[in-house]
Amino acid sequence: MTEERPAGTPVLRRMNRAAVLDAVRRRAPEPVRVAELARLTELTRPTVAQAVEDLLAAGWLRQVAPEQATVGRPATRFSLNGRAAPVLALDVGPHTVTAGIADLAGERLATIRRPVGRRGARHLLEAVDEATGAALAAAGLTAGQVAAVTAATPGIVEETTGRVLFAPSVPGWPEIDLAGRLRARFRCAVTVENDANLAALAAVHRRAGAGTLLAVQWGERLGAGVVIDGRLHRGAGQAGEIGFIRPTGDLPDPVGDGRGPLERAIGAEAIVDLARRRAAGRPESRLARVTDAAAVFAAAADGDPMAVAVVDQVAAVFAQAIAPAVLVLSPHAIVIGGGIARAGAVLLDAIARHLANLVLTPPSVELSELAEGTVLTGAIQLALEEVWRDTLAGC
């Protein structure tokens, strides 16, 4: 019979270090004292002090100047050394690539945006490389210092491999092994994920409680991420592809156009087209000169009757398209991110009004305060989670 032995000192010290580091992380960016860490971890002060010493030596923590005390000697405080494990996030879109670098505490070190010169996978890769290199330079980092990478991409992504299986907005994109290219360059954990799924993770992270959430990423294209009880729902792999919902009366997909029916009906470009058609023959109208969806929403907010009618039409189409999903999932909230999230109350109120007539229990309809930054925020969050899993397991 084998005799069980208690965990040895090295194992206990590793567990203590993990507990202390996790406590510092949860208080970040606020510095914390040894006494506070002892209370948070329920470890003795000498044990915490030893763990802090180990973490300082390993580069995970840094010492912060003590607060000025009126009585007695001020206590030394400690915080995360953010540059111990910086992460890279990429928001790869058909027209723009955004690269963001954050430190261990989630503080942004750099954000770089680069336009995609021409349509196609090769040009998109060039923008990815350019944005990534510029972000590293701006943060003062090398590729070898990056601890984890998360790339957001349009299309359907295979969860186990990170391969893009279907991306009609970028011709040739499924033939590119983006995950493999990034792993070869960075030699660290690399995750490639659908952009709407990452937007959903960002949205749920900013909300109290888990529940069920439908996070819509709405710009020129439309996609959604589904979160159930705080966990991303993938289904068979295509959950959330709402851009391919076919609104009533929609026309067949034009040849060579990769957009889905709902995207062609109420995407950002379609909203501008609707406004211009509404203003046809009325050159004095504000809508005759609009160049983007934001101008349409601004005109509606100012009470322009034609703009109000356009927004109401867009809201009605969106509500009719999304109502079946609301009836099936019964989400607590619909959170809209992307460029359309800057539309304001004029769109929000119209969607809520139309949706109330189509479902049994209308969910809350909200605009993400992150707007176009929602996807990048979700990518940073996922990369940091990867780092923390490895760090807390191995420190």
Side-chain angles (χ1 to χ4, degrees), residues 63-395:
Q63 187 170 312
V64 179
E67 293 178 304
Q68 295 298 320
T70 54
V71 179
R73 183 179 177 182
T76 302
R77 299 177 299 160
F78 304 93
S79 66
L80 289 176
N81 175 16
R83 286 183 173 263
V87 299
L88 168 68
L90 292 166
D91 180 2
V92 182
H95 307 294
T96 306
V97 173
T98 305
I101 294 180
D103 69 11
L104 193 59
E107 295 295 320
R108 296 282 181 95
L109 302 178
T111 302
I112 300 292
R113 291 179 177 84
R114 289 290 184 267
V116 180
R118 295 170 59 189
R119 193 166 182 242
R122 182 172 63 85
H123 301 291
L124 188 55
L125 274 179
E126 290 173 356
V128 168
D129 290 341
E130 185 180 344
T132 298
L136 288 171
L141 297 172
T142 65
Q145 292 174 288
V146 173
V149 177
T150 296
T153 176
I156 296 170
V157 180
E158 188 174 44
E159 181 183 4
T160 54
T161 65
R163 294 298 297 260
V164 179
L165 303 179
F166 178 69
S169 62
V170 185
W173 196 233
E175 282 72 51
I176 302 297
D177 183 7
L178 179 62
R181 290 173 64 94
L182 291 172
R183 290 188 186 106
R185 181 173 183 180
F186 289 95
R187 306 289 182 180
C188 65
V190 172
T191 302
V192 176
E193 179 60 273
N194 172 266
D195 50 8
N197 283 346
L198 289 172
L201 292 176
V204 77
H205 185 69
R206 300 179 77 86
R207 291 177 57 85
T212 299
L213 181 71
L214 188 63
V216 176
Q217 194 66 10
W218 189 353
E220 182 179 332
R221 307 188 65 84
L222 275 90
V226 182
V227 176
I228 299 175
D229 292 333
R231 297 176 64 85
L232 189 64
H233 173 71
R234 300 176 185 276
Q238 296 83 39
E241 292 292 335
I242 64 170
F244 290 87
I245 293 173
R246 184 173 296 275
T248 303
D250 187 55
L251 299 175
D253 203 358
V255 175
D257 182 52
R259 292 176 297 168
L262 188 61
E263 293 168 331
R264 289 189 290 106
I266 57 170
E269 183 180 328
I271 292 171
V272 174
D273 289 342
L274 284 171
R276 288 175 175 172
R277 287 202 301 271
R278 178 80 65 164
R282 301 284 298 275
E284 75 284 358
S285 169
R286 288 174 62 177
L287 298 192
R289 301 180 298 276
V290 296
T291 57
D292 56 37
V296 179
F297 294 119
D302 290 341
D304 183 290
M306 285 192 290
V308 170
V310 169
V311 172
D312 189 72
Q313 180 180 346
V314 169
V317 172
F318 177 79
Q320 290 165 5
I322 211 75
V326 172
L327 288 168
V328 170
L329 295 173
S330 186
H332 295 86
I334 298 173
V335 179
I336 299 172
I340 300 301
R342 299 194 182 280
V346 65
L347 177 63
L348 205 65
D349 294 345
I351 290 174
R353 173 166 42 82
H354 284 288
L355 197 57
N357 296 324
L358 299 170
V359 300
L360 298 177
T361 304
S364 168
V365 183
E366 307 166 10
L367 298 177
S368 170
E369 61 190 59
L370 297 169
E372 295 97 329
T374 307
V375 172
L376 193 69
T377 298
I380 288 174
Q381 178 188 326
L382 192 62
L384 286 171
E385 288 176 1
E386 179 70 30
V387 170
W388 280 110
R389 273 195 300 270
D390 290 345
T391 299
L392 296 178
C395 75

